[in-house]
């Protein structure tokens, strides 16, 4: 059986899960806590991070963007990366936007302060870092508005990897109660469209014991 | 004419330049200092970062990984991303290793402390950050050794994007005099192989006024 090593509330793992679900590819989930740096896991992935996918043929795939590009090549239906080099470039630009810029400016801080430090008690959370991340998030929500006022989805009128990346990141921060959707109607409508997909259902139903999301988290109309 | 906006000593810009040169695609270079946040530039790339490529048809491409994937699709010769989905997954994993892990653990600190703060006088350099980055770099050099003891190039016996990513990152840190190649013979031999390529020549000849690289920087046998 195909196996995906993942950890809860990790955007990259959520991305891999949604892509697998969109492509209707069966897999079993296995929790890996990367901070334990298990020897056997490091042998499979010296980077030590999740998601890590083991294919039925034994191939070991890691690095979120490498995993989803592989899935797109192996399981082309439905296409999630556009049809032309120009479309793919736009989708990949947005994948990079969330995986890079949004991660660095927003998600990394909130996940590190609220999940790693506060919830897993691995250090003293910094309210400055949280404040800076929340401040930075507004610019990103404005950019989401800009994109979704023009098209139904981030890279155009078709659902794509760009939406999966963005919504996976936002879903983690939304679980933490950190996304203020007020005043971002276009972005909110887009997020409702994405979270209504069957592929997102397992994520929205998942709960971490001791860490409760706000009530609107799994509501499809919020 | 195709135009690449770049800044000196930036790994992503070096990656784009080498890929264009490997594929013998003509382009003109234009310097963009992303910290100036020029309005006209932000209109082309709201992320505000370089490299940014303007194609002859006017298409605007940004985000390093999106740019090089686009170039691979538009100009398939010579192939730099392998032949099979599994080969591409390994090459992309290593692209992500350098663009992600190596950037975060090593390159970001050295570039930010030594280039942005010390050289461009945008703040007080932190010797702790520099020390941590140099310490982290050893693990990465060990991993380069591990890979290059087994194959001529990082993802196998063929030169690929993985080598371009790794060597572009290392070339920037080598310019800063921060790479201690001693005891890393396999990695050093690999770097000699890569820096001997014609596509690397313009990078090795480039000098920043007031910032002199160590003597071995542009030597092909060091």
């Amino acid at each position: 059986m195909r196996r995906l090593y993942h950890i809860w509330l990790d955007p990259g793992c959520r991305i891999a899960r949604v892509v697998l679900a969109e492509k209707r590819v069966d897999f079993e989930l296995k929790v890996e806590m990367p901070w334990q740096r298990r020897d056997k896991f490091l042998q499979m992935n010296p980077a030590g991070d999740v998601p890590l996918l083991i294919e039925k043929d034994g191939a070991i795939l890691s690095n979120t963007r490498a995993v989803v590009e592989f899935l797109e090549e192996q399981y082309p239906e439905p296409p999630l990366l556009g049809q032309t080099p120009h479309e793919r470039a736009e989708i990949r630009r947005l994948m990079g936007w969330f995986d890079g810029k949004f991660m660095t400016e927003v998600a990394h801080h909130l996940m590190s302060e609220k999940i790693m430090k506060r919830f897993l008690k691995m250090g003293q959370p910094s309210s400055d870092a949280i404040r800076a991340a929340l401040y930075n998030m507004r610019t990103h929500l404005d950019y989401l508005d800009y994109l979704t006022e023009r098209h139904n989805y981030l890279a155009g009128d078709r659902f794509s990897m760009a939406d999966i990346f963005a919504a996976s990141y936002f879903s983690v921060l939304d679980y933490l109660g950190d996304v203020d959707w007020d005043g971002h109607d276009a972005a909110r409508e887009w997020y409702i469209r994405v979270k209504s997909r069957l592929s997102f259902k397992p994520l929205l139903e998942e709960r971490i014991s001791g860490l409760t999301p706000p009530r609107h988290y799994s509501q499809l109309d919020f």
Side-chain angles (χ1 to χ4, degrees), chain A:
Chain A
M1 181 63 166
R2 194 177 290 104
R3 176 181 284 186
L4 184 76
Y5 287 84
H6 86 120
I7 186 71
W8 314 286
L9 296 184
D10 176 86
C13 295
R14 294 190 155 209
I15 289 165
R17 289 166 71 180
V18 174
V19 171
L20 285 161
E22 287 285 339
K23 292 183 176 289
R24 297 168 188 274
V25 170
D26 283 337
F27 63 102
E28 60 174 33
L29 269 179
K30 195 159 164 41
V31 170
E32 177 70 33
M33 304 188 183
W35 56 87
Q36 294 181 339
R37 299 187 62 73
R38 256 195 330 124
D39 273 351
K40 280 207 165 165
F41 188 73
L42 290 175
Q43 279 162 27
M44 294 191 292
N45 178 16
D49 55 12
V50 279
L52 177 120
L53 178 69
I54 305 192
E55 275 286 272
K56 283 184 180 170
D57 64 2
I60 300 174
L61 291 307
S62 63
N63 181 270
T64 306
R65 284 170 83 173
V67 169
V68 302
E69 294 270 0
F70 176 84
L71 292 172
E72 180 73 9
E73 293 183 4
Q74 290 288 69
Y75 312 102
E77 291 302 325
L80 296 172
L81 260 177
Q83 311 284 350
T84 68
H86 291 80
E87 281 177 27
R88 279 192 288 280
E90 176 62 2
I91 294 169
R92 288 182 175 128
R93 176 183 78 81
L94 291 165
M95 289 160 61
W97 181 292
F98 286 95
D99 211 29
K101 192 177 171 66
F102 187 77
M103 179 61 165
T104 309
E105 294 176 359
V106 183
H108 168 74
H109 298 296
L110 294 172
M111 289 160 54
S112 144
E113 302 303 323
K114 293 197 158 182
I115 304 178
M116 302 307 289
K117 294 186 185 172
R118 188 182 293 167
F119 180 62
L120 295 172
K121 303 196 183 349
M122 291 184 176
Q124 187 61 38
S126 148
S127 52
D128 280 356
I130 294 174
R131 208 161 23 234
L134 294 176
Y135 181 84
N136 293 340
M137 200 194 303
R138 292 187 227 163
T139 318
H140 290 272
L141 281 167
D142 287 344
Y143 189 50
L144 269 191
D145 278 339
Y146 170 87
L147 294 170
T148 50
E149 278 160 8
R150 278 153 189 79
H151 299 284
N152 273 339
Y153 293 102
L154 299 194
D157 284 319
R158 280 211 208 129
F159 177 76
S160 78
M161 292 276 187
D163 303 286
I164 297 177
F165 271 61
S168 294
Y169 271 91
F170 271 100
S171 75
V172 171
L173 307 187
D174 206 37
Y175 190 107
L176 298 174
D178 282 336
V179 187
D180 182 2
W181 297 98
D182 274 357
H184 298 285
D185 293 341
R188 183 205 297 259
E189 291 299 319
W190 159 82
Y191 187 52
I192 289 173
R193 275 194 294 283
V194 178
K195 80 198 269 198
S196 305
R197 298 178 78 89
L198 264 182
S199 59
F200 264 78
K201 208 163 172 245
L203 305 183
L204 298 177
E205 285 172 353
E206 202 167 68
R207 292 291 177 275
I208 315 300
S209 161
L211 194 63
T212 309
R215 232 163 48 89
H216 74 257
Y217 170 71
S218 42
Q219 284 170 359
L220 295 186
D221 195 358
F222 65 102

